[in-house]
Amino acid sequence: MTAMIVLTLLLVAALLFWPRVAKAPMWRATVTPLASIIGSGFLILGPVMLVNFGSWAPLAMLVLCALGYAFGSAMRFNIRYLGDSPQGRGTPLQDLGERLSSWVLAFAYFISVAYYLNLFGAFAGRIVDVRGGTLPKVITTLIYLLILAAGYLRGFSVMERLEKFSVSLKLAIIASLLAGLAVHTAQQDMASVLAYSPASTQGTLALQLLLGLIVTVQGFETSRYLGQHYDAATRVRSMRHAQWLASAIYLVYAALLTLSFHQQTMTLDETAIIDLMGVVALVLPPLLIAAALSAQFSAAVADTSASGGLINELSGQRLRARHGYVLLTLTGLLLTWLFDVFEIISHASRAFALYYGVQSLLAAVRAAQQAASLRRHLQIAGFTLLGLVGLAAVLFSIPVEG
């Protein structure tokens, strides 16, 4: 088992670091949103689905991925509408909507960084076998101060180079994890594998819980803001490819976890995946910790940099990016010491749901301005419904109970 996992890791890493792949324009455009989506939820989402939905976990995962893809369709419509030169394309109302959604996104980044760094602290604590308590929060606080000092004094140019490496490392480790899970599942007793495990969260509560997990499939919106590097058509295709790949990975992951483990055998916390993978192979927990630390740190740096840039742009350069970093750090430290990781995930989901809701309503308005047809009427209805779903998530989503 261990040899197969390591071989899979090395082969996938070699493929991803191969210059022909790493430098291919479409892959480079795809890997940014793909890494953001996978980094947002992979480590925490599987155990959450298994504990709350039992044998229905793959279906719940499908619903969550479909919701993310639907929001992505609204984003892709807006990319196509704005094209490569968005200036001057919108009405004053649309410009106001874009400005509002950008402020919401900047604030959503504040909370997502808190989510990433609290996960970082939780996984770092597991290095010394500490689960929960004060140590992970202390680690998170120290990393916040490190990122603030780097961004405030020198910028993130050095740290941002880590992101390119961590993306390929993370995807290679995920591939090795899935390979190990597949072998582990095949080795299980078939009667045990197929035993039914009921959902512990059902009905309206299940829908509210899924709405509170939107942040775990977030990240595809990064394609919307890569206009300096790729044309609109490339950004649309790359976002679609990223969501297809991420959804496939999540669904296989959920299915293998459901077949390999039962909800009664585990305790849910933010690092539960380490305990599960320790059953599969002893080599997987240290690999997952390495992936978590590099992925969460690089994702936090990326979102910190993006939020600072957005605040600088939206304030008409009255607020410098470094001021945004200070606001982000203060907000994140407040969230860190007041809430647990699952509560932060719920707050981040509400922020991103509001952003996606506003973008969906903008897509509905823009669709209404185009030539009438059955397809156009369906788009207007669909985007309007998505906008309402986004607003409903802000009001009614609930956190996971760890």
Side-chain angles (χ1 to χ4, degrees):
M1 173 77 80
T2 298
M4 185 274 298
I5 290 172
V6 173
L7 180 61
T8 301
L9 172 67
L10 295 175
L11 288 176
V12 175
L15 175 64
L16 295 177
F17 283 110
W18 186 28
R20 276 189 80 174
V21 174
K23 296 181 180 180
M26 182 53 68
W27 174 246
R28 291 178 63 185
T30 299
V31 78
T32 297
L34 175 63
S36 295
I37 299 168
I38 297 295
S40 296
F42 188 86
L43 293 172
I44 204 167
L45 193 52
V48 167
M49 289 294 184
L50 180 61
V51 167
N52 286 278
F53 298 103
S55 296
W56 297 95
L59 179 60
M61 188 75 83
L62 177 62
V63 171
L64 186 60
C65 290
L67 179 59
Y69 192 81
F71 281 128
S73 70
M75 298 290 295
R76 289 190 289 275
F77 183 90
N78 287 333
I79 292 174
R80 285 190 293 264
Y81 180 89
L82 295 172
D84 298 320
S85 301
Q87 291 78 10
R89 287 293 309 270
T91 65
L93 180 61
Q94 291 175 24
D95 291 341
L96 177 62
E98 284 289 353
R99 192 171 183 81
L100 172 63
S101 69
S102 294
W103 275 113
V104 171
L105 182 61
F107 182 69
Y109 282 146
F110 281 26
I111 311 177
S112 69
V113 171
Y115 161 40
Y116 294 141
L117 291 187
N118 274 270
L119 270 187
F120 182 101
F123 277 89
R126 290 300 299 270
I127 295 176
V128 292
D129 202 26
V130 171
R131 188 193 298 265
T134 302
L135 179 62
K137 293 181 181 293
V138 171
I139 294 172
T140 298
T141 300
L142 293 175
I143 297 300
Y144 257 117
L145 296 177
L146 172 64
I147 290 177
L148 174 61
Y152 196 89
L153 299 175
R154 304 193 54 135
F156 293 121
S157 58
V158 174
M159 290 184 183
E160 284 170 347
R161 295 193 194 104
L162 173 65
E163 186 176 9
K164 297 178 182 178
F165 174 81
S166 69
V167 166
S168 297
L169 173 65
K170 175 171 56 182
L171 293 175
I173 290 175
I174 286 172
S176 65
L177 181 152
L178 293 178
L181 263 179
V183 173
H184 182 264
T185 301
Q187 293 174 343
Q188 301 302 300
D189 175 68
M190 287 306 297
S192 174
V193 163
L194 297 176
Y196 176 71
S197 180
S200 60
T201 305
Q202 302 178 11
T204 304
L205 286 179
L207 293 176
Q208 290 178 278
L209 178 62
L210 288 175
L211 291 176
L213 291 170
I214 287 175
V215 71
T216 59
V217 293
Q218 161 269 335
F220 52 86
E221 76 284 342
T222 54
S223 295
R224 167 81 165 74
Y225 300 97
L226 295 176
Q228 292 183 336
H229 305 286
Y230 308 103
D231 60 28
T234 299
R235 284 180 284 140
V236 167
R237 288 198 304 273
S238 64
M239 186 196 294
R240 187 182 292 117
H241 293 165
Q243 288 195 286
W244 285 344
L245 284 169
S247 297
I249 290 170
Y250 274 155
L251 290 172
V252 171
Y253 176 44
L256 290 174
L257 275 183
T258 303
L259 293 172
S260 291
F261 302 96
H262 292 290
Q263 62 193 157
Q264 295 88 350
T265 63
M266 62 177 291
T267 300
L268 181 61
D269 62 29
E270 58 268 33
T271 61
I273 189 65
I274 292 179
D275 299 317
L276 292 182
M277 294 306 102
V279 175
V280 176
L282 292 178
V283 72
L284 280 175
L287 286 178
L288 285 176
I289 291 175
L293 297 182
S294 65
Q296 303 310 315
F297 182 79
S298 62
V301 168
D303 280 8
T304 300
S305 178
S307 68
L310 267 176
I311 288 174
N312 177 252
E313 178 184 334
L314 293 169
S315 67
Q317 285 72 50
R318 287 187 292 274
L319 290 174
R320 299 178 66 180
R322 62 175 60 179
H323 299 144
Y325 305 152
V326 173
L327 290 173
L328 180 144
T329 299
L330 292 175
T331 303
L333 291 177
L334 192 65
L335 291 168
T336 296
W337 289 97
L338 289 180
F339 303 107
D340 65 30
V341 172
F342 292 120
E343 290 173 314
I344 294 173
I345 288 173
S346 180
H347 292 313
S349 291
R350 290 189 184 99
F352 277 102
L354 180 58
Y355 169 71
Y356 294 144
V358 173
Q359 283 288 315
S360 297
L361 293 176
L362 279 171
V365 170
R366 289 162 174 163
Q369 294 176 335
Q370 299 185 4
S373 66
L374 176 60
R375 179 186 178 190
R376 198 63 66 203
H377 289 314
L378 291 174
Q379 282 182 323
I380 295 169
F383 293 150
T384 302
L385 178 60
L386 280 174
L388 296 176
V389 169
L391 297 179
V394 176
L395 296 174
F396 302 115
S397 64
I398 59 174
V400 173
E401 294 185 4

